[in-house]
């Protein structure tokens, strides 16, 4: 019995010892959880608003830093044909009723138009002019056989040979020549940039519209011999019945340098905004003009070319076997021909899109389908500018905060530790700087500098002004914290060990108040971003064509923009608002985590 008792006692002792050891571990774990750093981290993580701010800011930051590499921007790019396009991706999405029974399709600036085999007309995309939706009456229209879409007007031909037009009726676009109203047999039509053309079966070319933009005079000896014509905003080229290319211009240009070896052998012709291309009777392509966006770099074609079409900066060639190849600008996928399982019978290209019609009447399209956030008044992609503008706004804000924080920590640290006369002088200097009105000062300086400084110098000046005038607040905060810390025992010990005063301030005291500095810097970051956006908004910050959220909003102040082009101000406003609110939420969360009593105030 005694042995059993001793054994039982020993077992109980072991259990007690384990309980004691477990208790010590629990105490240690509790002590570890109560350490200042973990308390701050745990409090911050459990703050749902602060964590939402962190996630939101990180998403915006990652988008503005990473996505511009995938969506590059040319800040000097402008294209008025793409101005004020609403968000969406329906530019090249043909209606289902047409997509399998198409006869003819034409690419407009931001929309398209087509007719089916029954002569019915269809329109889709983003319309630059509401008049485009007002079609002629069914009696006047009849059965359409041909259609062409321009910048903001459409030209069509019915089975009676009558030429019709609708959309923009200014600049003489509605003044169709009388000969074309009387039932002339039409071979080709073209609706361009404020001009229209029609070629009759007899080889006679007619034009009407804005004669100041493109004044075309067809020599009398050329009338009656024209087989085909192509046009852009600079020139009209005609292909004669004997295979010659003739420019309808007396001025020498890149378009008029036609290769002599192709004259008499041309069977088809196409134009972009910078070059011209011809297909000769041997099935080869010849290009001349300016090699902008690689339009003159013809790839190795997989066969003889039957016909060719051109957009703004790209070509598409229809080969004799019914396949299609494209080259030139591929910014919007113009060179990415989709898989077409049937023989293509007709190609149509214009602006930034291309259509192919198969033997079955099915429609295939590639190129610019739309813009995720629309475009501005200069035709620039709002989404791309929003990304680049966010990176600029964040960069300016971050560097300004770094400058102000460094100055504020140095001034506040030295002033708080030294005290006495040095403290008095530094605080008076702080008061002088804080009394300078920031916005009037920045506006006056910007007006004085004017255009005498480069764009990069202006951005640097803005960052310096923001940094040099916003440090007094953090200097006072650091001074107060250092005044409280300099009487602590570790400071006395450092003095006893002979540590230099600057070492005590910046190696021992400042690390103990670094959390307060981080919180203040976080809140100042949002303030600097708002200040930079305010300067850009009133026209004294980062100037066009560089993008920031502020100057994007500056270009959206007009009442018409606010009412009709909502995407131009809505997306920058949302981005700026979300970014600054999320940063403020992070700063408030850090402050509450570091000083839990602040919640009670």
């Amino acid at each position: 019995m005694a042995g059993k008792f001793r054994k039982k006692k020993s077992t109980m002792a072991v259990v007690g010892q384990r309980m004691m050891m477990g208790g010590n571990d629990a105490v240690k774990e509790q002590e570890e959880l109560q350490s200042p750093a973990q308390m701050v981290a745990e409090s911050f993580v459990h703050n749902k608003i602060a964590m939402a701010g962190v996630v939101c800011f990180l998403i915006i930051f990652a988008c503005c830093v990473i996505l511009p590499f995938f969506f590059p921007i040319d800040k000097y790019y402008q294209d008025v044909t793409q101005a004020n396009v609403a968000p969406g991706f329906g530019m090249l999405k043909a209606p289902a009723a047409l997509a399998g029974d198409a006869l003819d399709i034409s690419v407009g600036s931001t929309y398209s138009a087509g007719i089916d085999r029954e002569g019915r007309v269809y329109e889709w995309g983003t319309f630059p002019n509401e008049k485009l939706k007002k079609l002629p009456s069914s009696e006047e229209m009849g059965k359409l056989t041909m259609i062409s879409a321009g910048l903001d007007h459409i030209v069509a031909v019915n089975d009676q040979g009558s030429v019709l037009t609708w959309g923009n009726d200014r600049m003489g676009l509605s003044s169709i020549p009388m000969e074309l109203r009387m039932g002339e047999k039409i071979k080709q039509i073209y609706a361009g940039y404020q001009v229209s053309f029609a070629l009759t079966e007899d080889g006679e070319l007619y034009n009407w519209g804005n004669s100041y933009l493109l004044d075309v005079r067809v020599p009398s000896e050329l009338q009656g011999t024209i087989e085909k014509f192509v046009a852009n905003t600079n020139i009209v080229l005609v292909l004669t019945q004997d295979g010659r290319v003739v420019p309808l211009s007396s001025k020498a240009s890149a378009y008029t340098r036609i290769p002599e070896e192709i004259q008499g052998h041309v069977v088809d012709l196409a134009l972009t905004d910078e070059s011209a291309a011809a297909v000769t009777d041997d099935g080869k392509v010849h290009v001349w003009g300016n090699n902008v966006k690689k339009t003159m770099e013809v790839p190795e074609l997989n066969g003889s070319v039957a016909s060719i079409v051109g957009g703004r900066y790209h070509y598409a060639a229809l080969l004799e076997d019914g396949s299609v190849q494209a080259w030139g600008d591929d910014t919007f996928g113009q060179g990415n021909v989709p898989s077409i399982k049937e023989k293509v019978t007709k190609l149509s290209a214009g602006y930034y899109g291309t259509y192919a019609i198969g033997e079955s009447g099915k429609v295939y399209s590639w190129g610019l389908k739309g813009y995720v956030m629309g475009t501005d008044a200069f035709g620039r992609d709002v989404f791309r500018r929003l990304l680049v503008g966010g990176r600029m706004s964040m960069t300016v804000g971050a560097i300004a905060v770094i400058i102000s924080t460094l100055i504020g920590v140095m001034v506040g640290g030295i002033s708080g530790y030294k005290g006495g006369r040095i403290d008095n002088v530094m605080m008076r200097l702080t008061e002088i700087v804080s009394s300078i009105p920031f916005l009037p000062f920045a506006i006056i300086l910007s007006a004085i500098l004017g255009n005498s400084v480069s764009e990069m110098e202006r951005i640097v000046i803005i960052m310096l002004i923001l940094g040099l005038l916003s440090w007094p607040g953090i200097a006072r905060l650091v001074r107060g914290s250092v005044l409280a810390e300099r009487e602590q025992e570790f400071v006395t010990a450092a003095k006893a060990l002979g540590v230099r005063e600057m070492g005590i301030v910046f190696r021992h005291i400042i690390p103990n108040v670094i959390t307060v500095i981080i919180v203040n810097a976080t809140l100042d970051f949002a303030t600097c971003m708002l200040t930079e956006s305010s300067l850009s908004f009133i026209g004294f910050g980062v100037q066009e064509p560089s993008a920031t959220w502020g100057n994007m909003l500056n270009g959206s102040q007009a009442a018409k923009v606010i009412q009709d082009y909502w995407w131009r101000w809505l997306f920058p406003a949302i981005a700026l608002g979300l970014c600054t609110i999320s940063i403020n939420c992070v700063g408030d969360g850090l402050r509450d985590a570091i000083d839990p009593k602040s919640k009670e105030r």
Side-chain angles (χ1 to χ4, degrees):
M1 291 291 291
K4 289 181 180 180
F5 179 78
R6 284 195 299 270
K7 185 175 181 181
K8 186 175 181 180
K9 184 178 180 181
S10 176
T11 303
M12 292 175 66
V14 171
V15 172
Q17 185 177 4
R18 288 180 178 177
M19 289 177 65
M20 291 177 64
M21 291 178 63
N24 291 335
D25 291 341
V27 171
K28 289 180 179 178
E29 183 178 353
Q30 186 176 6
E31 289 177 352
E32 290 177 358
L33 290 174
Q34 295 300 321
S35 64
Q38 291 193 357
M39 285 180 63
V40 170
E42 183 181 2
S43 177
F44 183 80
V45 169
H46 284 84
N47 188 329
K48 294 182 180 179
I49 296 178
M51 289 305 298
V54 170
V55 173
C56 183
F57 175 73
L58 288 178
I59 291 174
I60 296 174
F61 179 79
C63 289
C64 293
V65 171
I66 298 172
L67 290 184
F69 292 103
F70 300 96
F71 299 95
I73 186 173
D74 178 6
K75 65 181 181 180
Y76 297 106
Y77 167 85
Q78 292 185 13
D79 188 349
V80 294
T81 67
Q82 303 297 303
N84 297 319
V85 179
F89 294 97
M91 285 187 186
L92 298 182
K93 190 175 181 180
L98 175 70
D101 191 33
L103 174 66
D104 192 16
I105 292 181
S106 180
V107 187
S109 55
T110 58
Y111 69 100
S112 298
I115 53 177
D116 61 16
R117 294 176 182 178
E118 298 297 323
R120 293 184 292 262
V121 64
Y122 301 83
E123 297 175 340
W124 62 96
T126 302
F127 298 99
N129 191 326
E130 289 298 319
K131 293 181 180 179
L132 284 166
K133 300 179 183 179
K134 298 178 181 179
L135 304 178
S137 63
S138 56
E139 293 80 9
E140 183 181 4
M141 186 176 295
K143 182 180 179 181
L144 297 183
T145 59
M146 209 178 300
I147 196 166
S148 178
L151 173 70
D152 52 9
H153 77 288
I154 292 175
V155 177
V157 177
N158 61 22
D159 56 355
Q160 303 299 316
S162 297
V163 177
L164 310 170
T165 185
W166 64 92
N168 183 8
D169 55 2
R170 297 174 299 161
M171 305 294 181
L173 290 173
S174 59
S175 303
I176 302 173
M178 187 58 65
E179 295 86 348
L180 301 178
R181 295 178 180 269
M182 303 302 294
E184 282 274 359
K185 291 184 178 180
I186 305 300
K187 185 176 185 179
Q188 182 189 352
I189 55 174
Y190 174 75
Y193 189 95
Q194 300 180 3
V195 292
S196 298
F197 294 86
L199 176 65
T200 67
E201 291 283 357
D202 296 331
E204 294 189 354
L205 181 64
Y206 295 86
N207 68 284
W208 64 99
N210 188 352
S211 59
Y212 294 101
L213 179 67
L214 188 61
D215 187 14
V216 179
R217 302 178 187 274
V218 185
S220 57
E221 64 272 14
L222 201 60
Q223 289 283 26
T225 66
I226 301 174
E227 181 69 21
K228 182 181 179 179
F229 71 91
V230 289
N232 60 21
T233 56
N234 299 303
I235 198 171
V236 177
L237 298 179
V238 298
L239 172 61
T240 62
Q241 294 170 354
D242 59 358
R244 296 174 59 252
V245 179
V246 179
L248 298 184
S249 175
S250 58
K251 297 180 181 179
S253 66
Y255 306 103
T256 61
R257 295 196 293 265
I258 304 166
E260 281 297 327
E261 63 271 15
I262 70 171
Q263 295 289 27
H265 302 282
V266 179
V267 295
D268 200 10
L269 197 61
L271 265 179
T272 68
D273 273 19
E274 295 291 342
S275 63
V279 179
T280 51
D281 48 18
D282 57 359
K284 294 183 179 179
V285 176
H286 303 263
V287 184
W288 65 95
N290 301 314
N291 190 22
V292 176
K293 298 184 183 292
K294 301 180 180 180
T295 54
M296 296 182 65
E297 299 177 13
V298 183
E300 184 177 348
L301 301 174
N302 302 321
S304 298
V305 176
S307 63
I308 189 169
V309 293
R312 291 294 298 273
Y313 304 107
H314 75 284
Y315 289 107
L318 176 60
L319 307 185
E320 290 184 348
D321 62 358
S323 61
V324 179
Q325 286 186 251
W327 67 93
D329 182 24
D330 196 33
T331 304
F332 304 109
Q334 304 98 306
N336 187 18
V337 182
S339 176
I340 302 176
K341 305 270 178 160
E342 61 179 317
K343 186 176 180 180
V344 174
T345 58
K346 189 170 184 178
L347 273 181
S348 176
Y351 291 89
Y352 300 103
T354 308
Y355 288 98
I357 301 176
E359 287 181 316
S360 64
K362 186 176 180 181
V363 176
Y364 303 87
S365 62
W366 63 96
L368 176 60
K369 294 178 173 61
Y371 301 91
V372 63
M373 291 184 181
T375 63
D376 63 10
F378 298 100
R380 300 173 299 192
D381 192 336
V382 171
F383 175 67
R384 294 173 185 249
R385 287 181 63 79
L386 193 72
L387 297 176
V388 176
R391 186 169 60 183
M392 176 65 73
S393 295
M394 289 183 188
T395 301
V396 171
I399 294 179
V401 165
I402 291 172
I403 294 172
S404 66
T405 301
L406 289 176
I407 297 174
V409 168
M410 290 180 63
V411 173
I414 295 172
S415 177
Y417 183 79
K418 286 287 189 179
R421 183 175 298 176
I422 293 178
D423 180 30
N424 191 30
V425 171
M426 286 190 169
M427 285 302 98
R428 299 298 78 74
L429 175 63
T430 302
E431 291 172 0
I432 292 172
V433 174
S434 62
S435 67
I436 298 175
F438 176 76
L439 282 177
F441 178 79
I443 292 171
I444 292 170
L445 182 61
S446 178
I448 293 173
L449 293 175
N451 296 323
S452 61
V453 295
S454 66
E455 178 187 344
M456 184 54 65
E457 290 173 341
R458 179 181 288 272
I459 294 171
V460 172
I461 290 172
I462 291 171
M463 292 187 293
L464 289 175
I465 293 174
L466 281 170
L468 293 175
L469 295 183
S470 57
W471 58 265
I474 193 170
R476 292 193 185 96
L477 183 67
V478 171
R479 173 182 176 272
S481 300
V482 171
L483 283 172
E485 292 290 328
R486 71 178 184 178
E487 304 300 332
Q488 298 293 327
E489 289 81 359
F490 70 89
V491 176
T492 305
K495 289 179 180 178
L497 291 172
V499 180
R500 292 190 304 175
E501 289 183 338
M502 291 300 101
I504 294 174
V505 174
F506 295 107
R507 294 182 58 187
H508 297 283
I509 297 179
I510 295 300
N512 280 277
V513 299
I514 193 66
T515 51
V516 178
I517 296 172
I518 291 173
V519 171
N520 190 79
T522 303
L523 297 173
D524 281 351
F525 181 29
T527 303
C528 285
M529 283 186 60
L530 285 172
T531 304
E532 181 279 323
S533 297
S534 301
L535 286 173
S536 298
F537 177 73
I538 62 179
F540 294 99
V542 180
Q543 302 291 314
E544 292 275 5
S546 295
T548 70
W549 290 339
N551 63 27
M552 289 179 72
L553 290 170
N554 180 41
S556 307
Q557 297 183 69
K560 182 174 178 59
V561 174
I562 295 173
Q563 180 178 353
D564 297 336
Y565 309 132
W566 52 267
W567 58 89
R568 285 177 50 185
W569 59 264
L570 180 63
F571 294 117
I574 289 175
L576 180 59
L578 283 177
C579 190
T580 52
I581 290 172
S582 62
I583 293 171
N584 279 318
C585 287
V586 173
D588 289 341
L590 284 173
R591 182 182 59 199
D592 294 342
I594 293 169
D595 183 14
K597 293 182 180 179
S598 63
K599 298 179 183 178
E600 302 173 3
R601 298 193 187 107

